């Protein structure tokens, strides 16, 4: 299992949601974050050159998936998030040791992969 983290432009959120849904990836967390991609803006001051760091608003998806859904999740984040301009964001993939569905006590892959995604529709 992996935890796939995608940090994308907030205005691409709906495109990412649609791409995840089409890839049958259910279950994710979404939060608003502020970040920085590393570019430094040079600002001239009367004492010399200094740098300014602007924080950008981003949307952060966290998707815990079983192994067969790792690449589809990365693809969905990239396809939904991409504009081709600087600042499109990043995808990070982390090993995930354990996942537990609290209601049933199921753990690992059965906790992150719906057996039948259709069953899931009413439960969200
Ligand atoms: N190394 C990093 N660690 C954690 N978060 C990062 C890192 N790099 C970028 N981010 C997050 O991703 C957001 C978007 O980054 P950004 O797309 O500018 O990355 P980049 O590497 O500069 O790519 P680009 O050249 O397309 O701008 C940042 O605002 C930040 O939230
Ligand atoms: Mg950048």
């Amino acid at each position: 299992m992996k935890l796939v983290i995608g940090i994308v432009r907030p205005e691409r959120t709906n495109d990412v949601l649609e791409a995840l849904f089409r890839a049958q990836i259910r279950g994710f967390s979404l939060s608003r974050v502020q970040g920085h991609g590393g570019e430094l803006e040079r600002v001239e001051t009367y004492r010399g050159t200094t740098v300014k760091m602007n924080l950008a608003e981003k949307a952060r998806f966290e998707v815990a998936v079983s192994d067969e859904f790792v690449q589809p999740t990365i693809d969905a984040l990239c396809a939904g998030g991409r504009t081709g301009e600087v600042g499109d964001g990043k995808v990070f993939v982390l090993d995930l040791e354990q996942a537990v569905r609290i209601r049933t006590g199921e753990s690992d892959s059965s906790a992150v992969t719906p057996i039948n995604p259709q069953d899931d529709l009413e439960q969200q």
Side-chain angles (χ1 to χ4, degrees):
M1 286 183 300
K2 303 281 185 192
L3 180 65
V4 183
I5 298 173
I7 300 173
V8 302
R9 299 178 191 276
E11 59 270 29
R12 303 299 294 182
T13 298
N14 280 339
D15 300 84
V16 172
L17 289 172
E18 199 178 315
L20 289 170
F21 190 81
R22 281 183 197 284
Q24 299 205 310
I25 294 146
R26 314 288 186 255
F28 60 86
S29 295
L30 176 58
S31 51
R32 289 296 180 106
V33 296
Q34 291 188 316
H36 194 263
E39 301 86 352
L40 294 177
E41 187 185 327
R42 294 165 75 86
V43 179
E44 301 296 329
T45 66
Y46 75 101
R47 285 176 187 273
T49 303
T50 183
V51 291
K52 189 173 133 198
M53 219 190 256
N54 285 324
L55 292 176
E57 298 289 331
K58 298 287 169 183
R60 176 187 159 113
F61 282 85
E62 284 175 82
V63 195
V65 288
S66 53
D67 290 342
E68 70 265 34
F69 282 98
V70 174
Q71 195 57 49
T73 302
I74 296 168
D75 293 344
L77 288 163
C78 290
R82 189 165 192 281
T83 68
E85 300 296 322
V86 159
D88 274 354
K90 289 268 174 65
V91 176
F92 303 114
V93 181
L94 288 68
D95 280 329
L96 181 62
E97 283 187 16
Q98 197 177 351
V100 177
R101 176 172 283 128
I102 291 175
R103 174 175 58 86
T104 59
E106 284 166 280
S107 67
D108 299 330
S109 290
S110 55
V112 294
T113 307
I115 292 161
N116 176 1
Q118 285 306 109
D119 291 348
D120 246 31
L121 288 173
E122 307 125 35
Q123 293 176 18
Q124 297 302 312

